[in-house]
Amino acid sequence: MSCPICAEDSTEKYRPFCSRRCADVDLSKWMNGNYAIPSRDPEDIEAAADAAEAAQIAAQKPQ
């Protein structure tokens, strides 16, 4: 099996990754929202739009 991040051979300890570094890169992608499962549920779309708007307003407030 090859590592999904760098395509090197995976190791038993970090499977499916080859190293801790590649496992951390993958985790970072999940945490930053680079990986997402699409939804067609209108409630999910509305909630995402509300969250984005709230984040934008919060970013504009002086600290």
Side-chain angles (χ1 to χ4, degrees):
M1 172 185 284
S2 63
C3 176
I5 301 300
C6 71
E8 295 289 325
D9 289 336
S10 64
T11 61
E12 182 74 27
K13 185 174 181 179
Y14 297 107
R15 185 165 283 145
F17 307 103
C18 66
S19 66
R20 171 89 186 223
R21 179 195 164 280
C22 284
D24 287 346
V25 167
D26 185 72
L27 178 60
S28 175
K29 287 182 178 183
W30 279 105
M31 294 179 78
N32 288 327
N34 294 348
Y35 296 145
I37 300 170
S39 173
R40 294 181 187 255
D41 185 352
E43 290 179 15
D44 290 341
I45 294 168
E46 187 173 320
D50 291 345
E53 183 178 334
Q56 186 177 21
I57 290 169
Q60 293 174 353
K61 288 184 179 178
Q63 294 182 0

